[in-house]
Amino acid sequence: GVEPSGGFRKSRLYTMPYGRQEDGSVMIGSLELLQASNVMTLLNTSDPAIQTGSAGEEEADQILTEIPDIGYDLVIMNPPFTSATNHEGAHADITNPAFAAFDATDEDQTEMGERATKLAKNTCSHGNAGIASSFAALAHKKLKLGGVLALVLPLSAASGPSWERLRAMLSRHYRDMIVVSIAANGQDMAFSSDTGMAECLVIARRLKVDEKPNDTDHFVSLSRRPQGFANARELAAGCALDKGEVRRIEDGPYGGTPLRIGEELAGYTIAVPRSPVWRAVRTADYSVAQTAYALVQSKLWLPGFAAHVELKMASLGDVGKRGVLSRDITGKPPKPGQPPRGPFDKVDPSPSATYPSLWNHDAENETRMVCDPDSQLQVRQGMEKRAAIIWATASRSHLNTEFTFGSQALTVAFTDRESVGGRVWPNVIFPDRRYDYAFAVWGNSTLGLLSYWWHSSRQQSSKASVSISSAVSLSVLDLRCLTDEQLLIAKNIFEDFRERDLMPAYLADADQNRAVLDRRVVCDLLGFDKDIYSAIRQLAQKWCAEPSVHGGKERPQGAEFAI
């Protein structure tokens, strides 16, 4: 592509067998290479088989070749992102979207999915991550020690629980890793031309014998997609900085190291201690990330301050417990003839409901911390004991697991009655009922928004997701460290805000009520001075300027900074 006039002296492109074969078996295309290489025979699906190379097409009845394990210096992949669990929109009626190509029947899709699971066993592949994780496993299998791996992946690979095995594989077996993402919105946040999902490039070198991994990885956040080969080449050269030239995330809120192409500012890079989760992706202003990183370490280090102050933080799972998956509440039978997965049916709400539930999003009715349940649950016959177990997880606190900053206002919702949380509002259960009030006012303050954003997957334009399984590691104010007096202050703040509306989160900097909430939380509850409060309001400005927060949505006329 860079040198189109230069020809290849030797090349071959092979297609792999896919779908139902003449002998009744099924094959899964390139993922067949997950088998041991000494049993591999490559057969083209055309008849006669075609080898396409620089010399033109050649015919062969059968093509035998070897694709050896640990045999290649460089493996580059832009795999499909389809998942067997991706059953929305156009995939709603498809048995297994990952293997539905070329008119594969439902039976074919099922058997192909089973074969893929078998071949990818004990690798970084995960069914919920989709077949992209299987291709990543294949790339690792074929790469030489000391070889370079380059992958295009969905941005969910950076933090999604189903991608944990991939990140662990890279952490154990690779060094010199660079993760490149794009801070822009819409189509511009992807490297591929046919997706509206954010993507990342992962480039790393496999360890040689007796070589150890790095303790630091580099993250690059571009302002836009590279504009052609020449632009990409200059960007690549700019990313090749020595370790000492790149500012570290733990250095404090001073921003990343600029990447320039001539006079153009193309983005920033930052060095981050190696971690099981990659948080420093799709970030336009790395000072926001540096503040969020410090906050997780119980350090409130704000832009403009030379040092940090202590603020006790903890994982949500250490302070409270999460509720159950929505599928365990109302799930249908996994197979015909089997009992339902969940003990309840979800029906319309009622003021006298025995089992109220906060289930779905309704942005217009979720502008105040106190929300009314939007559904009720009815016990399925014969499942009364299971229903009692689920109902025991009911609580007043609910965490937003699918937060669209451009339209929704709340990180945490509170219901006056204990309610079961549904798909997007799972329960948070605390050992002390007073924690409910503190959690609500903290979670909906600027610091709570920042913590949520930092922890979330930012694959969609302004929508941040936190899975129910990853919610337990969300960093929150350590409510256990609050005194009785502080817990009473938190309740008083909550009651003062019971009837106050909050604007959508992307306008947190312009929201007068959010500014008052910040002041009450920062000064009254936490005991910090006005300088800290003013810095947090400026932090709100920075956070709201992040493309992953505003999503390109225009600000309403008159939405100016509130302090």
Side-chain angles (χ1 to χ4, degrees):
V2 175
E3 300 291 344
S5 61
F8 291 100
R9 290 188 296 275
K10 182 180 180 181
S11 66
R12 290 292 184 269
L13 301 177
Y14 300 113
T15 62
M16 295 287 291
Y18 183 93
R20 185 71 63 181
Q21 304 298 296
E22 291 183 1
D23 63 0
S25 65
V26 294
M27 304 287 271
I28 54 174
S30 297
L31 293 179
E32 290 290 335
L33 292 166
L34 285 166
Q35 297 183 71
S37 60
N38 60 356
V39 300
M40 275 307 305
T41 299
L42 303 189
L43 298 175
N44 194 291
T45 54
S46 59
D47 186 18
I50 300 294
Q51 301 178 86
T52 304
S54 58
E57 292 185 349
E58 301 172 5
E59 293 187 0
D61 293 330
Q62 189 179 52
I63 301 170
L64 301 177
T65 191
E66 184 181 8
I67 308 293
D69 292 349
I70 319 179
Y72 293 88
D73 297 295
L74 173 65
V75 177
I76 304 173
M77 284 191 178
N78 184 359
F81 297 165
T82 315
S83 151
T85 59
N86 186 11
H87 290 299
E88 298 181 2
H91 295 152
D93 299 324
I94 297 176
T95 300
N96 187 334
F99 295 104
F102 303 118
D103 299 320
T105 66
D106 291 349
E107 183 181 1
D108 295 344
Q109 294 171 40
T110 298
E111 290 188 36
M112 292 167 75
E114 292 172 349
R115 181 166 178 78
T117 299
K118 178 182 178 181
L119 294 184
K121 188 177 181 180
N122 299 323
T123 71
C124 68
S125 176
H126 191 290
N128 290 342
I131 58 175
S133 64
S134 301
F135 277 99
L138 175 59
H140 174 69
K141 181 182 178 71
K142 300 301 176 183
L143 189 65
K144 283 182 180 179
L145 302 183
V148 174
L149 175 68
L151 300 172
V152 182
L153 297 174
L155 196 67
S156 57
S159 59
S162 57
W163 289 93
E164 183 178 1
R165 295 177 192 168
L166 169 82
R167 297 190 298 270
M169 179 193 78
L170 291 168
S171 181
R172 286 194 302 267
H173 300 290
Y174 289 81
R175 60 178 291 123
D176 303 331
M177 186 171 76
I178 298 177
V179 181
V180 186
S181 58
I182 306 173
N185 302 295
Q187 295 291 333
D188 291 333
M189 60 189 182
F191 294 94
S192 306
S193 61
D194 57 350
T195 180
M197 296 190 306
E199 295 176 332
C200 60
L201 302 181
V202 180
I203 305 101
R205 182 172 64 78
R206 190 168 183 176
L207 297 176
K208 300 175 183 177
V209 177
D210 296 329
E211 194 173 21
K212 295 182 179 180
N214 300 94
D215 57 6
T216 300
D217 297 319
H218 286 175
F219 288 79
V220 175
S221 191
L222 303 177
S223 56
R224 64 175 183 175
R225 183 191 300 167
Q227 307 296 300
F229 285 120
N231 183 258
R233 180 187 287 176
E234 291 299 315
L235 275 174
C239 292
L241 296 171
D242 292 335
K243 184 176 180 180
E245 297 180 64
V246 179
R247 178 165 277 149
R248 302 176 303 171
I249 198 169
E250 62 267 37
D251 286 344
Y254 300 102
T257 299
L259 293 176
R260 299 185 182 277
I261 302 176
E263 297 298 318
E264 177 190 358
L265 178 62
Y268 293 90
T269 182
I270 197 166
V272 180
R274 180 156 283 189
S275 168
V277 182
W278 309 335
R279 303 288 183 204
V281 292
R282 202 174 167 226
T283 304
D285 183 348
Y286 271 125
S287 69
V288 179
Q290 288 160 327
T291 295
Y293 178 85
L295 192 60
V296 174
Q297 319 298 321
S298 293
K299 301 174 182 178
L300 182 57
W301 200 347
L302 297 164
F305 280 69
H308 66 267
V309 293
E310 295 297 321
L311 179 61
K312 290 291 185 181
M313 302 287 287
S315 295
L316 182 58
D318 292 334
V319 181
K321 297 180 180 179
R322 68 167 177 83
V324 298
L325 283 167
S326 60
R327 294 192 298 276
D328 290 328
I329 302 172
T330 61
K332 297 179 180 179
K335 293 183 180 179
Q338 293 184 350
R341 176 168 173 169
F344 289 104
D345 288 312
K346 182 173 72 72
V347 297
D348 292 338
S350 168
S352 61
T354 305
Y355 305 105
S357 175
L358 185 63
W359 198 271
N360 300 311
H361 274 315
D362 184 349
E364 293 184 0
N365 292 324
E366 294 170 356
T367 59
R368 298 177 182 177
M369 293 185 202
V370 180
C371 295
D372 294 325
D374 57 19
S375 308
Q376 66 171 314
L377 304 175
Q378 293 182 341
V379 180
R380 290 169 173 165
Q381 188 170 352
M383 303 195 76
E384 291 79 9
K385 290 184 178 180
R386 176 64 179 161
I389 294 172
I390 297 294
W391 181 247
T393 67
S395 69
R396 299 184 298 174
S397 291
H398 302 267
L399 180 69
N400 190 347
T401 56
E402 295 183 9
F403 198 162
T404 302
F405 298 128
S407 60
Q408 297 165 14
L410 302 178
T411 308
V412 175
F414 179 99
T415 54
D416 280 319
R417 287 187 61 191
E418 276 81 359
S419 304
V420 169
R423 188 176 64 84
V424 297
W425 286 115
N427 292 91
V428 180
I429 308 104
F430 294 114
D432 188 329
R433 287 173 64 83
R434 296 177 299 173
Y435 289 1
D436 290 324
Y437 306 112
F439 185 53
V441 298
W442 158 267
N444 292 305
S445 70
T446 290
L447 291 177
L449 290 171
L450 178 69
S451 296
Y452 184 100
W453 170 83
W454 180 244
H455 189 78
S456 67
S457 170
R458 302 184 286 278
Q459 183 166 315
Q460 300 184 46
S461 193
S462 71
K463 183 177 181 179
S465 300
V466 173
S467 70
I468 192 170
S469 59
S470 69
V472 294
S473 57
L474 172 66
S475 188
V476 300
L477 180 67
D478 192 344
L479 308 178
R480 300 168 300 180
C481 294
L482 298 179
T483 65
D484 291 342
E485 181 182 2
Q486 285 177 303
L487 289 170
L488 180 59
I489 291 171
K491 183 178 181 181
N492 290 336
I493 296 172
F494 173 85
E495 294 298 341
D496 288 347
F497 273 82
R498 177 179 283 273
E499 303 297 328
R500 293 200 190 205
D501 292 305
L502 296 173
M503 298 170 69
Y506 85 109
L507 296 173
D509 60 335
D511 187 347
Q512 189 61 54
N513 282 337
R514 191 92 63 174
V516 174
L517 179 62
D518 281 345
R519 179 175 56 78
R520 297 291 305 278
V521 169
V522 171
C523 300
D524 298 349
L525 176 61
L526 301 178
F528 294 123
D529 60 26
K530 291 183 179 180
D531 289 340
I532 295 289
Y533 163 69
S534 296
I536 286 174
R537 292 307 298 160
Q538 291 174 345
L539 175 66
Q541 268 193 318
K542 286 176 170 287
W543 183 74
C544 290
E546 285 292 322
S548 60
V549 174
H550 61 70
K553 188 172 183 178
E554 292 187 10
R555 293 169 68 89
Q557 189 172 2
E560 299 178 353
F561 182 54
I563 190 167

